[in-house]
Every structure is written in structure tokens, then in C-alpha cells.
Amino acid sequence: MLDAICMFDEDKPVTYSVFKFQKLSDTDIERYRQSLICPECHGKAYYRKASLDGKAACFGSRYHQANCKEFKPSQAKAREEQDAVEVNQLVVDSDALIIDFTRRPSIHGSKASAKPVSKEKSLQADQGQSEIRESDEAYSIVAESAKDDNSKTENKSQPNLTDDKRVSTQGLEKLLHSLLRGSELAESELWVYTDDKYRWRAKNLFVNFADAEPTENGAPRMYWGTVSHIDKAMQWLNPSDSRDVGIPIEEFQTSLFNRFNIKDRRDIEGAGIILFGKCFWNKDKTRKIIQLWGKDISRVFISKLDD
């Protein structure tokens, strides 16, 4: 994608060529890069700087419409489309879904189907955090608050996996890819377990960064979208989907980068991301912060772009 429209000033959109955009000052690039859209389908776009090994700067988008002329099929996009098909089928065939946070990324070209399971590991709370209280007591409170607001006829007793006849399991990779490709998961009534006891309606659990809001009682959600860029110190992720959301990673930066082989800022520009976390305001209430739950990197998945 050689051009992108900058909507920083929505009354005066500006179309930039990638050659013109990369010549802007570092300050302007950081200011504008979260406001880019595809000039054809108006999907949210990203900017990737030139790499040290000679890869050119470029614009791109993971939100192209299928009929957009800027949408260029690739093996990665084909895998993502297949993951969306698989998850859509899972939504139809299952009574409940357990998120398997331990599932490693699949080997490209392989096809892993959802399978019934009994129980998964419970969430391991990090009681050392001051802003996120994750003791068993606190989690019980937020889990109760996360019950479907429209399910007044639901059984109010503690949900149990044995209540569901068809329980499937899926890892974060395919869930993220399906969401990026417009699967029905985020709007479905499917029960989704984040551990062996607590369940949520999918439509209440999966939240795009653009719709992120601090939750009552600190209830966690599965936040997803794409990364616009990372700050120069590589301690904050900035989503493409919203200008006022930030994801701090300083406290687990090394382990996160090792897990996803991130060595340079360019490695994460335009990447897809999903994480289980809590949304809250900063002290000045000028920015919403999404904190990874328990600082546990098994609860985050990053889908990097193919180079």
C-alpha cells in the first residue's frame, strides 16, 4: 500500500504517499500514525518504518475489505481466513468454549480442530499489583459482574463446565485471527470460559480496543485489535484502533519479546494482538490503560506481519 489517508484532523484529511510520510519529523509520524486509513476501503491502516536490513517503509492494513483493491492475498491472510471459518463453525457447533492460554502457535499449514476438554488451569493471580487486585476474592467479584446483563433467566448458581454438553477449546492465535477477519465470535451468545469456573458471554468478553472502557469492579476482558506502534523505549504498545488507549509492557518486556521474537520497533508495527486484561483510567483520566492480567504473558498473543 503506497498511500494512506491521515484522519488526524477529520475535517481536513490528508493523503500521504509512503515516501512523503517517512520524510515527516519523528514527532509528526508518532502523532499521525494512529490516524491512518486505507484510501480505498477506509479500513484502519498502519505505517512500518524502513528496516535496518533494507526493507522499505510501507503502509498496510489488517482491516481491508475483501473486495478492496489494496487487499493482497498471502499465505498469512489465507491462514487467517481459515481460522475465521473454523471459529465461526465452533460458534455454531459448541455450547461453550474454553480459552486454552497454554496452546502454542500452530505450525503453518496445519489444521487443528477444536476438541472437547474437561478442565483447565485456574487463573494464577499476582497479588503484588497495587492497581489491579487479583486475589481469589477480587476475581470472584469481577467474574460475577461479568455475567450477561441480558440473562436474567440464567441460573445464578456458580457455572460449571459440566452444565455444557458441547465444550470446545481454542487458543489465542486462532481466536485473534478470526476476530481480525470479522468472525461472529465477538457478537455471539456463546459461553466462554477463561478458566475452569468463570464464564462470560462472548459478546461481553471480546472487546476491540476502539470500544475499550474501564469496567465496573475491575472486571477483565479479552481486548484485541492491531498495534500501531511502540514507543521509543519499547515500554508501551499503542493500538491502531484508538488514540487514547495504551498497553504497558515494561515489567514483562524481556519475556514478551523473547516469546514473540521482537527485536526492533518495526517487528511489532501493524501486528495483531489479543490479551486478557483490565482497563482503567490513568491518574489524569486522559488515557485508558489496559494492563495484562497478572503480568502473565501466556494471556497475550501477538500475530506479527509477514516480512
Side-chain angles (χ1 to χ4, degrees), residues 98-103 117-125 136 139 161 169 193-198 276 293 296 298-299:
I98 292 176
I99 298 177
D100 181 1
F101 291 102
T102 66
R103 182 174 293 190
V117 296
S118 56
K119 291 189 176 182
E120 300 295 318
K121 295 181 180 179
S122 299
L123 287 174
Q124 298 300 312
D136 291 339
Y139 189 50
L161 286 174
T169 181
Y193 287 82
T194 52
D195 73 349
D196 63 341
K197 293 190 294 184
Y198 300 117
F276 188 61
W293 194 265
D296 181 355
S298 71
R299 302 189 185 280

Side-chain angles (χ1 to χ4, degrees), residues 3-168:
D3 300 289
I5 300 174
C6 177
M7 300 296 295
F8 185 81
D9 183 346
E10 295 185 359
D11 295 326
K12 296 180 181 179
V14 178
T15 299
Y16 285 98
S17 70
V18 69
F19 312 107
K20 182 178 178 180
F21 194 83
Q22 68 181 338
K23 290 181 180 179
L24 296 176
S25 68
D26 289 345
T27 300
D28 282 345
I29 288 176
E30 297 304 298
R31 181 186 303 161
Y32 297 150
R33 67 192 309 167
Q34 284 177 282
S35 304
L36 300 173
I37 62 173
C38 169
E40 295 295 327
C41 67
H42 292 179
K44 291 291 295 185
Y46 60 80
Y47 167 75
R48 292 183 88 189
K49 67 177 183 179
S51 67
L52 296 176
D53 60 358
K55 296 183 180 70
C58 65
F59 291 127
S61 174
R62 299 188 79 147
Y63 296 110
H64 284 306
Q65 298 296 318
N67 61 351
C68 177
K69 72 176 187 179
E70 293 288 355
F71 181 82
K72 295 179 174 58
S74 66
Q75 288 186 343
K77 288 183 174 66
R79 290 194 298 271
E80 291 175 4
E81 292 286 355
Q82 179 57 42
D83 289 347
V85 170
E86 184 174 330
V87 171
N88 273 337
Q89 192 62 49
L90 182 153
V91 171
V92 172
D93 293 342
S94 303
D95 296 314
L97 165 70
I98 292 176
I99 298 177
D100 181 1
F101 291 102
T102 66
R103 182 174 293 190
R104 303 295 295 180
S106 60
I107 298 173
H108 292 166
S110 66
K111 188 175 180 181
S113 59
K115 58 183 179 181
V117 296
S118 56
K119 291 189 176 182
E120 300 295 318
K121 295 181 180 179
S122 299
L123 287 174
Q124 298 300 312
D126 181 354
Q127 299 180 10
Q129 293 189 69
S130 59
E131 297 207 71
I132 305 178
R133 296 171 55 204
E134 294 177 8
S135 64
D136 291 339
E137 179 182 0
Y139 189 50
S140 296
I141 292 172
V142 299
E144 282 298 317
S145 72
K147 287 186 176 180
D148 186 1
D149 294 335
N150 299 318
S151 61
K152 294 182 180 179
T153 60
E154 293 289 341
N155 185 353
K156 297 302 180 181
S157 61
Q158 182 64 46
N160 191 295
L161 286 174
T162 58
D163 296 339
D164 301 297
K165 296 179 181 179
R166 299 174 299 174
V167 181
S168 299

Side-chain angles (χ1 to χ4, degrees), residues 258-277:
N258 287 339
R259 182 179 179 90
F260 295 104
N261 192 28
I262 297 169
K263 300 176 182 178
D264 182 76
R265 295 177 68 195
R266 190 180 193 275
D267 291 337
I268 201 167
E269 292 167 350
I273 184 172
I274 187 170
L275 74 156
F276 188 61

Side-chain angles (χ1 to χ4, degrees), residues 194-211:
T194 52
D195 73 349
D196 63 341
K197 293 190 294 184
Y198 300 117
R199 66 181 181 178
W200 326 61
R201 291 293 188 187
K203 66 180 184 180
N204 294 333
L205 176 63
F206 295 97
V207 179
N208 182 263
F209 293 126
D211 302 315

